[in-house]
Amino acid sequence: MSQTVEQRAANAIRTLSIDAVQRANSGHPGAPMGMADMAVVLWTKFLKVDPSDPLWLDRDRFVLSAGHASMLLYSTLHLAGFPITMDDIKAFRQWGSVTAGHPEIDHPLGIEMTTGPLGQGFATGVGMAMAEEHLRGIFGPALIDHRTYGFVSDGDLMEGVTSEAASLAGHQQLGKIVYLYDDNSISLVGPTSWSFSEDIPKKFDAIGWHTLTVDGHDHGALAEAISAGTAELGRPTLISCKTHIGYGSPNKQDSAASHGSPLGAEEIALTKERLGWDLAPFLVPDDVKALFANSLASRTAQRLAWEERLSVARGDSDIARLWDAYFSPQPVALSAPPLDAGAKKATRALSGDVIQNLAQVRLDVVGGSADLASSNNTQIKNSGDFTPDDRTARNIRFGVREHAMGAITNGMVIHGGVRAFSGTFLQFSDYMRGAVRLGALMGVPSIWVFTHDSIFLGEDGPTHQPVEHVAALRAIPNLWVIRPADAGEAAGAWQVAMNRTDGPTALILTRQGVAEPAETTDPAVVGRGAFVTREGSDVVIVATGSEVSLARDAADVLAERGVSARVVSMPCVEAFNELSRSDQKDIIGRETPRVSLEAGVTQGWAEITGRRGLRIGIDTFGASAPAGILAEQYGFTADAVAGRIDEFLKA
Ligand SMILES: Cc1ncc(C[n+]2csc(CCOP(=O)(O)OP(=O)(O)O)c2C)c(N)n1
Ligand SMILES: [Mg+2]
């Protein structure tokens, strides 16, 4: 039976995928085989990307949420002319290769984001679509007008983060989203019927999506459905594509056996016979190459027309300035917010003041909170709420959806043109940890505003009192964790976070007021991670956030007893770790005994104090009571701290 070139293209994706998985002796052949037709139709007929400029700002974004189907993406990018070579495909899953087990963000290669933890791609794509809406609102459709496409799987739809993100996408009427659901009724261990029986189209209809169901191997039906999805601008679209996992494999199609192991040489031979494929491994027929080349040539023409429009628009110097403010923003230098003399402001409130200043100098900053804006102090006061009626507004109401908020924030930043932050109570950073970690892995400079940072939030009690959270965040590589102590450090914390380009920052902020030092702290010191805030020679107390003023008070008590204590504020351990050893020793002392003081678990502080140092912290859960009582009960008063240090020095 003769095949169309589109069918041969799908078979090229299938055979490249199964051969690469076989060669690596590891990987997931079934999903690429099942989604190959979806990929061919989307990429040749719809997706606005240009391999001659993978970074084109107005390109459509494509997210492969089911990251285990990585070979689908690599094969398709290769066929489409992105710089993934046949040698790269042969090196699938090998050391140093760009074709990692799961796709890893690499925009020049055409990989929009890292996927693998199911659900993250779905939710992050929602953030990309929100960024597009915002920027289109500002610059108009002549300069910004693209879609966010995604391939999502059963596993993606089972994950909670997807439900949160889908709910917000429906509410926000994100009509430029078109997701194709690989509806194959199979997941890792077996049929989805073992644990998943919801009516997905009905569910998505109910939360404001436009839904369609098609045969995912019928190219005509797929094209019609994607057309309908792109035409629907008032609602996001989910197309359930009924597919067969392992399509073409005589013995493994429709079985979980094709999900995560190589098909085996014998089954590959049978599959190629069934697919009518007689080429040697890793060869692509010329007509398939030509199909992709011809269809993508029109995208190059679209890009050149866009460049022309941009260049004409930039003839207006106001527009040129505005464009650069979003797409080539400058680093910031922030100053400490002014304070009334003697005022004790919470660092969350100081952060809120800094945000107002920041929003003036950096137009690309947008932010929001998971229904805690008034507690997190995240509202940008001179702007309204981002809604379907006002896409230019800069405040995002995420609702009580921390996990999706994390992913959506990453998505906005990954999209480019916006710098996003989002806030919740530090306690609930656990709910968004999947996204926080993935952002750190991707090197995305999202900013997390975590307030109510210790047991000293008081009466809400141990469900709301973080204890292990700061240490748990410090454990994530490439995430910088900054816990400012005063107005100057609050400004410095935002400055460091904003000027990071290769990773995220968590700002750890108090609910309660903090005492300011006699002289306002220079924000620039935060970039060094630590500095001496009070000189002394007998002992060094290293403290963070609200415990810095406590350390100074304890030093006063110690001074009365004839002990000279140096106090070091260490807002950012990660920045401190970047200093030379000698600079570090200048700050925390050489032979002087060291004490750490932080209202959280002591884990990690031995790195600073040494094993023989004293670590004062809270290694149990908190309790529900007024903050002052908790300070007494947990030994966080100046007298108690001084007493412990005295004892330690005498021991
Ligand atoms: C958050 C998360 N949990 C678990 C996994 C492990 N895992 C990988 S694929 C998969 C399920 C596969 O089912 P489906 O998404 O339907 O993909 P298909 O088998 O159809 O290719 C699981 C559980 C994961 N990658 N991410
Ligand atoms: Mg499945």
Side-chain angles (χ1 to χ4, degrees):
M1 200 178 64
S2 76
Q3 293 177 350
T4 64
V5 63
E6 284 84 5
Q7 286 166 329
R8 287 162 58 72
N11 287 337
I13 291 172
R14 291 187 176 103
T15 54
L16 281 177
S17 300
I18 60 182
D19 285 335
V21 169
Q22 187 67 26
R23 188 179 163 103
N25 196 25
S26 157
H28 301 78
M33 297 168 84
M35 288 192 270
D37 295 300
M38 291 151 56
V40 168
V41 174
L42 178 67
W43 282 67
T44 61
K45 291 192 163 42
F46 295 94
L47 195 70
K48 189 177 75 166
V49 291
D50 180 6
S52 62
D53 183 4
L55 304 182
W56 175 23
L57 284 175
D58 198 35
R59 70 186 182 278
D60 287 340
R61 305 307 197 261
F62 174 75
V63 174
L64 179 67
S65 192
H68 61 276
S70 55
M71 267 315 304
L72 174 85
L73 184 59
Y74 303 144
S75 308
T76 307
L77 286 169
H78 173 75
L79 295 177
F82 283 81
I84 288 188
T85 65
M86 196 57 90
D87 282 341
D88 293 330
I89 286 183
K90 289 180 187 166
F92 179 49
R93 294 189 157 222
Q94 304 310 303
W95 175 259
S97 140
V98 296
T99 48
H102 292 80
E104 293 178 9
I105 188 169
D106 192 327
H107 289 179
L109 289 183
I111 302 171
E112 295 289 356
M113 67 170 291
T114 300
T115 50
L118 290 164
Q120 288 289 334
F122 186 114
T124 307
V126 170
M128 295 179 190
M130 277 171 59
E132 193 268 350
E133 294 283 354
H134 182 61
L135 294 165
R136 180 156 35 84
I138 290 160
F139 292 102
L143 297 182
I144 300 288
D145 189 10
H146 53 267
R147 293 193 163 73
T148 303
Y149 290 100
F151 283 4
V152 307
S153 66
D154 298 304
D156 282 308
L157 293 189
M158 286 189 232
E159 289 290 351
V161 65
T162 295
S163 294
E164 293 181 20
S167 166
L168 187 59
H171 174 78
Q172 282 283 356
Q173 303 171 21
L174 300 177
K176 303 291 280 297
I177 290 177
V178 179
Y179 283 173
L180 279 72
Y181 164 32
D182 182 33
D183 187 359
N184 64 14
S185 306
I186 294 285
S187 60
L188 193 148
V189 287
T192 52
S193 60
W194 287 350
S195 55
F196 194 50
S197 46
E198 42 197 68
D199 183 329
I200 287 292
K202 256 194 190 162
K203 172 175 172 175
F204 276 73
D205 280 339
I207 57 172
W209 284 58
H210 166 224
T211 60
L212 297 148
T213 301
V214 294
D215 174 348
H217 300 296
D218 178 336
H219 291 205
L222 280 166
E224 247 177 67
I226 300 172
S227 275
T230 58
E232 168 62 68
L233 292 172
R235 291 176 295 172
T237 293
L238 185 76
I239 306 171
S240 296
C241 305
K242 298 281 182 193
T243 62
H244 298 281
I245 191 170
Y247 183 94
S249 161
N251 300 301
K252 296 192 174 173
Q253 177 175 317
D254 296 322
S255 150
S258 71
H259 165 85
S261 341
L263 294 185
E266 211 172 301
E267 188 65 14
I268 286 180
L270 293 173
T271 302
K272 288 183 178 172
E273 201 181 316
R274 167 80 58 95
L275 295 174
W277 193 264
D278 52 11
L279 287 176
F282 304 111
L283 284 181
V284 177
D286 289 339
D287 58 342
V288 168
K289 285 185 194 162
L291 169 72
F292 276 90
N294 292 338
S295 53
L296 288 168
S298 68
R299 283 19 158 233
T300 306
Q302 274 179 292
R303 175 178 63 82
L304 294 172
W306 177 86
E307 307 249 347
E308 180 58 31
R309 286 198 300 279
L310 178 62
S311 125
V312 170
R314 288 187 64 102
D316 179 333
S317 61
D318 287 343
I319 294 182
R321 241 194 322 272
L322 195 65
W323 184 265
D324 292 342
Y326 285 83
F327 295 104
S328 325
Q330 297 302 306
V332 293
L334 298 167
S335 41
L339 280 166
D340 295 336
K344 256 184 138 188
K345 261 191 165 179
T347 56
R348 63 176 167 137
L350 294 165
S351 162
D353 293 343
V354 175
I355 287 173
Q356 308 317 317
N357 296 338
L358 173 65
Q360 304 285 336
V361 294
R362 281 285 295 260
L363 297 181
D364 59 326
V365 166
V366 302
S369 162
D371 196 36
L372 289 168
S374 51
S375 304
N376 301 143
N377 300 61
T378 44
Q379 197 79 0
I380 299 173
K381 289 180 184 152
N382 73 352
S383 187
D385 288 342
F386 175 87
T387 64
D389 295 328
D390 185 2
R391 296 304 199 192
T392 65
R394 299 163 74 179
N395 292 297
I396 297 157
R397 304 275 187 194
F398 286 100
V400 192
R401 300 184 183 94
E402 291 85 0
H403 200 178
M405 175 173 76
I408 290 168
T409 302
N410 284 338
M412 287 191 283
V413 180
I414 291 170
H415 177 281
V418 292
R419 190 65 185 279
F421 65 85
S422 56
T424 184
F425 290 156
L426 175 58
Q427 175 63 235
F428 306 128
S429 62
D430 282 343
Y431 274 44
M432 51 194 287
R433 194 172 174 87
V436 171
R437 180 183 194 274
L438 195 61
L441 173 61
M442 289 190 279
V444 177
S446 304
I447 299 175
W448 313 118
V449 178
F450 294 136
T451 71
H452 298 59
D453 68 351
S454 74
I455 66 165
F456 298 119
L457 63 86
E459 293 84 344
D460 272 338
T463 55
H464 284 52
Q465 292 167 348
V467 176
E468 77 281 21
H469 298 74
V470 174
L473 290 169
R474 286 192 186 119
I476 298 178
N478 195 35
L479 173 67
W480 281 28
V481 179
I482 310 185
R483 188 165 185 246
D486 54 44
E489 287 192 27
W494 271 99
Q495 181 171 315
V496 169
M498 282 298 298
N499 294 342
R500 275 204 93 192
T501 55
D502 59 356
T505 304
L507 304 178
I508 311 296
L509 306 166
T510 65
R511 172 183 185 236
Q512 77 279 19
V514 293
E516 291 287 324
E519 231 173 88
T520 304
T521 308
D522 175 3
V525 294
V526 176
R528 290 171 57 79
F531 62 98
V532 177
T533 163
R534 175 194 167 114
E535 279 298 353
S537 50
D538 297 331
V539 62
V540 179
I541 311 172
V542 180
T544 74
S546 47
E547 283 68 69
V548 174
S549 63
L550 175 64
R552 278 194 297 260
D553 292 347
D556 287 343
V557 175
L558 287 166
E560 286 162 19
R561 302 181 190 180
V563 176
S564 160
R566 173 189 288 196
V567 176
V568 169
S569 175
M570 189 174 286
C572 182
V573 176
E574 294 81 10
F576 178 76
N577 284 338
E578 305 259 298
L579 299 182
S580 70
R581 274 182 77 77
S582 127
D583 283 354
Q584 291 181 345
K585 291 284 160 70
D586 285 348
I587 298 168
I588 59 172
R590 288 184 160 71
E591 302 304 326
T592 326
R594 287 181 210 138
V595 177
S596 69
L597 179 63
E598 185 173 64
V601 294
T602 52
Q603 187 181 335
W605 279 109
E607 273 182 41
I608 301 294
T609 63
R611 270 194 305 125
R612 286 194 301 277
L614 171 66
R615 290 169 290 284
I616 303 177
I618 298 167
D619 288 303
T620 61
F621 290 119
S624 172
I629 304 294
L630 292 171
E632 278 165 26
Q633 293 292 334
Y634 283 81
F636 273 67
T637 61
D639 282 336
V641 169
R644 284 194 64 185
I645 293 173
D646 217 6
E647 234 172 73
F648 160 72
L649 291 175
K650 286 181 184 145

